[in-house]
Amino acid sequence: MSHGSRPSSRVSPVQSDLVLRAARAVIGGQVVSASISVRDGGIVAIDPIDASVCGATVVELGPDEVLLPGLVDTHVHVNEPGRTEWEGFASATRAAAAGGITTIVDMPLNSIPPTVDVAALEIKRRVAAEKSVVNVGFWGGAVPGNLDQLRPLHDAGVFGFKCFLLASGVDEFPPLTLPELEKALIEIASFDGLMIVHAENAEVIAEAPSAAGREYSGFLESRPRAAENRAIEQVIELSRQTGCRVHILHLSSADAVPMIRAAKRDGVRVTVETCPHYLCFDAEDVPAGATQFKCCPPIREAGNREALWQGLLDGTIDTIVTDHSPCTPDLKRFDTGNFGDAWGGIASLQVSLAAVWTEARSRGCALTDIVRWMATNTADQVGMTNRGRIEVGCAADLVVFAPDEKFTVDVAQLYHRNPVTAYDRLGLSGVVRRSWISGSESSTGRLLARA
């Protein structure tokens, strides 16, 4: 980590509501010492740590603590309404806050109704407004038959649109064919929107072996890298043709990194994310019947994991998000351990920061890298230029993080609605000790819309 002082930056000398004094804070891509002044929910000044500044409340961070901007997780399945027994805004946002995530963007499925029109969006907003303790934004969905709903959803403030290229797992959110995807991209490009894609090719998967059985290797063979690679190639080509901004969700196949890198070099408007589980686990270590590790696309081999880390380090992969996709324990089919029957999804909101930091530091990465991948770049992806960073004029979404404190994940102690996660009993480094949303430790979150 680099350390240093930072020039004073102020907008007003009036007493602040809150002053945070940190010997270490991640600001402007560096670890520096600073005093951060907060008023009316925003950052109004950044001064040297020993500056004479006044606040109604003054918090001095300990020597083992670092001040981070709150993380922005743009890939979260809250599932409410309709499947609130799987998760819900109350439990999901409480877990997010405990894990240093101060803003989430909710996926348009697996709630009922899915967010494929403005009426469904309004239902989501009403539910979230009553229960959320972190900031919440929303994705819209692109499904067969709702082409005429995309612009109204965009105008209503969704951050973009999600589609699948194969069955999503829930009947109410069907996939797009390639011709339907092209039409949707043309429409979204007309208002410079963003399409985010679950990129697995249905035809390749249809030709793969069945996923049935307790052995993880069988499930892995049922979702081959070729399915991801082919779908990503198709999405890149359609983006190239239509000019539409596209984002590749939950990249697990490192084979696709070179083609994504080449597309970016060619000026194709493509970004890509990966997830903590692809960076922390490898297929060789998944026990038989351990369906808590099932997700789609799947966790792949150790060599693939290391190649994903290289894609992050060289800037090809832009962001790390959770793809928090929980369910009730019965849907994981622990009674049989059959990977073919179990629901695919990993719950990780509360532990994602620690999980990524534990793996990142072992590879020589710094907290500045974590902030870039999990806060600044995720915020920028959806146009939240006033979040995911500590700057004057930005929202005072802030987190006190103890990077060296170790703990063991206990699923029973997590705020997720259901006690199921692949991270249970895993030893990690990095504990979130406090978090502020818009300068408050006790306020409810805000509903966010695209600027």
Side-chain angles (χ1 to χ4, degrees), residues 160-223:
F161 305 91
K162 180 178 186 176
C163 72
F164 279 75
L165 302 183
L166 80 172
S168 70
V170 292
D171 293 340
E172 67 274 5
F173 202 95
L176 297 179
T177 63
L178 284 179
E180 288 169 334
L181 174 61
E182 182 176 14
K183 290 179 181 177
L185 292 179
I186 291 170
E187 172 67 9
I188 293 168
S190 72
F191 48 78
D192 197 28
L194 173 65
M195 177 71 95
I196 63 175
V197 185
H198 183 123
E200 288 183 284
N201 182 281
E203 295 167 354
V204 173
I205 288 178
E207 295 173 356
S210 166
R214 289 176 51 83
E215 295 302 319
Y216 185 76
S217 58
F219 170 63
L220 189 60
E221 290 173 2
S222 77
R223 312 290 288 219

Side-chain angles (χ1 to χ4, degrees), residues 75-117:
H75 194 149
V76 179
H77 293 270
V78 177
N79 307 329
E80 187 176 13
R83 291 188 175 94
T84 309
E85 69 274 15
W86 291 19
E87 192 59 279
F89 285 102
S91 53
T93 60
R94 190 180 180 198
I101 297 167
T102 55
T103 299
I104 65 170
V105 186
D106 173 60
M107 284 291 165
L109 74 163
N110 302 301
S111 56
I112 302 174
T115 317
V116 295
D117 54 40

Side-chain angles (χ1 to χ4, degrees), residues 58-77:
V58 177
V59 175
E60 295 196 10
L61 273 64
D64 64 335
E65 296 176 334
V66 184
L67 188 68
L68 307 180
L71 305 189
V72 177
D73 189 342
T74 55
H75 194 149
V76 179
H77 293 270

